[in-house]
Amino acid sequence: MKAYHIKLSEKDIGGVKTALLPGDPMRVEKIASLAGKNNFKKLTSNREFFSALCTVQNIPILVISTGIGCPSLAIAVEELAHLGIENFIRVGTTGAIQPGILPGDLIVSTAAVRLDGTSGHYAPMSYPAVASYDIVNALVRSAKKFKIRHHIGVTVTSDTFYPGQERYDTFTGHIIRDYRGSMEEWKKLKVLNYEMESSALFVMASVFGLKSGTVCGVIVNRSENEKPDDSFIEKVEKETGTVALEAATKLK
């Protein structure tokens, strides 16, 4: 029987244990094709959930998009866990907030600040959102192997792209008091970046007894500029995919 939203069954994925989770459906084939044109195949597409299977070093890996934000990611993780996936690696883009992190760099998240609502449906807010050591280690080793500039640390996960990340180009221009000055505070607390999925992924994986991690490519440093630089997207899509696929081959 196929999972309701992702439209995959155990037979479709054939015992695969690791899934890479880009947000953008258009990145699924880009990532899977890094394994080589004869080593991947498209599977299904439904709503924001596009999927493909690829093989790297004789290890099968599922690539499936989750859309933007924690709620749709949670649906994918729930259904994938039912199908036997044990390792989850988010592969995305991000805005850095610490000086010295350059567009084109990668960030490997060790933990996430929980500015989302979804993770609270799985564990109280006092429960930490932490990545799995094995996956963090595999991602860092992979980035070093390919000599890709990267940073390791804490991420903020926000449910919104605009007010939750203190962007004043929200439609009203108004940011509620809880988030005014928040970016400067996160900078002082040594948080590296903002993104929109990792806290739910980390909490869910920990609660489920599974493993998770995140690698994101930087397309803007908000200490210097507010506008993402799309000229870096192709570079970081390739490098995050390459790093994640290599890391996936090192997981049990």
Side-chain angles (χ1 to χ4, degrees):
M1 185 173 180
K2 292 185 182 291
Y4 181 74
H5 296 91
I6 62 175
K7 302 302 182 188
L8 293 172
S9 65
E10 291 182 7
K11 182 179 179 181
D12 292 326
I13 65 174
V16 173
K17 296 301 180 185
T18 299
L20 307 190
L21 309 176
D24 184 350
M26 297 300 102
R27 290 182 182 149
V28 170
E29 185 174 350
K30 292 178 182 179
I31 293 170
S33 66
L34 292 171
K37 64 181 181 179
N38 296 321
N39 293 323
F40 84 96
K41 65 176 181 178
K42 297 179 185 179
L43 294 176
T44 61
S45 61
N46 184 55
R47 300 189 183 188
E48 60 266 59
F49 306 112
F50 285 47
S51 58
L53 269 178
C54 64
T55 304
V56 181
Q57 299 175 28
N58 294 317
I59 296 172
I61 301 164
L62 178 68
V63 185
I64 181 168
S65 57
T66 64
I68 297 175
C70 293
S72 59
L73 175 134
I75 290 171
V77 172
E78 283 272 11
E79 295 185 359
L80 290 168
H82 278 292
L83 297 181
I85 297 295
E86 298 177 357
N87 307 307
F88 299 86
I89 303 177
R90 165 161 154 65
V91 185
T93 56
T94 188
I97 60 175
Q98 291 293 341
I101 301 178
L102 305 177
D105 290 356
L106 304 190
I107 292 177
V108 176
S109 301
T110 56
V113 178
R114 295 171 64 185
L115 296 188
D116 76 284
T118 302
S119 64
H121 289 215
Y122 291 89
M125 293 307 290
S126 55
Y127 190 92
V130 292
S132 305
Y133 174 81
D134 289 349
I135 294 185
V136 171
N137 191 42
L139 289 168
V140 171
R141 287 176 177 268
S142 179
K144 289 180 177 179
K145 174 180 177 178
F146 294 108
K147 296 181 170 58
I148 297 172
R149 181 178 157 97
H150 62 282
H151 310 267
I152 308 162
V154 178
T155 288
V156 170
T157 298
S158 170
D159 263 346
T160 55
F161 182 82
Y162 291 97
Q165 300 185 36
E166 201 185 358
R167 284 189 164 96
Y168 288 91
D169 56 345
T170 183
F171 178 68
T172 63
H174 176 70
I175 303 294
I176 64 172
R177 280 176 291 180
D178 286 352
Y179 296 123
R180 290 180 214 159
S182 59
M183 188 170 77
E184 188 60 31
E185 182 169 4
W186 298 130
K187 286 171 66 175
K188 289 180 178 178
L189 294 174
K190 310 305 181 188
V191 171
L192 301 186
N193 62 308
Y194 281 106
E195 54 83 73
M196 297 182 67
E197 288 85 17
S198 292
S199 59
L201 175 62
F202 295 169
V203 168
M204 291 178 71
S206 294
V207 168
F208 291 175
L210 305 174
K211 296 179 181 180
S212 65
T214 290
V215 58
C216 286
V218 177
I219 56 174
V220 64
N221 187 316
R222 294 184 57 204
S223 294
E224 301 170 2
N225 186 16
E226 281 293 334
K227 185 178 180 181
D229 188 340
D230 289 350
S231 68
F232 286 96
I233 288 179
E234 184 176 352
K235 175 182 185 293
V236 300
E237 284 179 337
K238 182 177 180 180
E239 291 186 348
T240 54
T242 297
V243 165
L245 286 169
E246 172 68 17
T249 68
K250 308 305 180 188
L251 303 175
K252 296 181 180 179

